[in-house]
């Protein structure tokens, strides 16, 4: 089954319309490109970052106009620099079943611990990757938190903290 279809199935399993997924001719692999492709603010694009926390994949969802504060993330998780690191692209694919640039917030091979950056809450509707570098779907911020089972914390550099 292709990655985009896995996202559609995951949406349906969460009680959402699988037809929300849009496969576009434009590249959506970066926040800036996705924002252009869907005509939305860069901040409303969900960046999916995969970290390894003690070797286990951790999904961090951050607003497209923000940078994840890794020191804050480490402090929140109680992990040292050696115990928390960004996953390499091959490891992202192995652990999630999706390539970097198309990692969605749902539909992974296994359920992932997920942290959601609170700055995404500025937007009622956000856009997330849907399995490849040309597929996205809109979702409300509230739905994103629910369907991912994510813990909301302030992860963006310069935000007030959790």
């Amino acid at each position: 089954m292709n990655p985009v279809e896995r996202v559609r199935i995951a949406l349906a399993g969460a009680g959402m319309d699988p037809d929300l997924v849009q496969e576009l001719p434009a590249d959506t692999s970066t926040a800036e490109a996705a924002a252009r492709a869907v005509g939305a603010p860069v901040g409303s694009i969900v960046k999916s970052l995969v970290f390894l926390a003690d070797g286990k994949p951790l999904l961090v969802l951050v607003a497209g106009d923000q940078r994840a504060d890794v020191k804050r993330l480490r402090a929140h998780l109680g992990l040292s620099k050696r115990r928390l690191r960004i996953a390499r692209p091959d490891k992202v694919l192995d652990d999630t079943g999706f390539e970097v640039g198309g990692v969605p917030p749902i539909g992974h091979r296994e359920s992932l611990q997920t942290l959601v950056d609170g700055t995404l809450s500025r937007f009622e509707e956000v856009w997330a990757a849907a399995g490849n570098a040309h597929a996205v779907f809109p979702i409300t911020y509230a739905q994103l938190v629910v369907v991912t089972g994510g813990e909301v914390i302030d992860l963006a550099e310069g935000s007030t903290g959790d």
Side-chain angles (χ1 to χ4, degrees):
M1 171 183 334
N2 78 52
V4 175
E5 188 59 26
R6 286 202 345 255
V7 174
R8 286 189 172 109
I9 290 168
L11 283 170
M16 297 180 68
D17 183 355
D19 291 333
L20 288 170
V21 173
Q22 299 176 26
E23 292 189 78
L24 306 171
D27 175 56
T28 60
S29 64
T30 67
E32 294 78 12
R36 281 191 304 275
V38 300
V42 174
S44 70
I45 305 301
V46 179
K47 291 194 294 192
S48 298
L49 306 174
V50 179
F51 286 83
L52 295 176
D54 281 337
K56 291 179 153 182
L58 167 71
L59 182 63
V60 176
L61 305 176
V62 181
D65 62 351
Q66 302 294 317
R67 290 180 52 91
D69 186 330
V70 179
K71 287 181 183 177
R72 183 176 292 162
L73 181 58
R74 279 192 210 107
H76 177 77
L77 297 169
L79 296 175
S80 68
K81 210 176 198 181
R82 290 179 50 209
R83 294 175 55 205
L84 179 75
R85 59 186 171 81
I86 194 80
R88 292 189 347 222
D90 60 328
K91 186 71 170 149
V92 171
L93 180 59
D94 287 347
D95 287 343
T96 69
F98 300 100
E99 292 188 22
V100 170
V103 177
I106 58 173
H108 302 263
R109 288 186 172 142
E110 294 181 18
S111 180
L112 298 180
Q113 177 184 359
T114 302
L115 300 177
V116 181
D117 173 32
T119 68
L120 277 165
S121 67
R122 295 172 288 156
F123 302 95
E124 184 176 329
E125 180 179 76
V126 295
W127 289 84
N132 70 33
H134 296 277
V136 292
F137 67 96
I139 186 170
T140 68
Y141 171 76
Q143 287 173 317
L144 178 69
V145 172
V146 170
V147 301
T148 62
E151 176 186 359
V152 177
I153 65 171
D154 288 326
L155 285 170
E157 287 182 352
S159 62
T160 58
D162 53 348

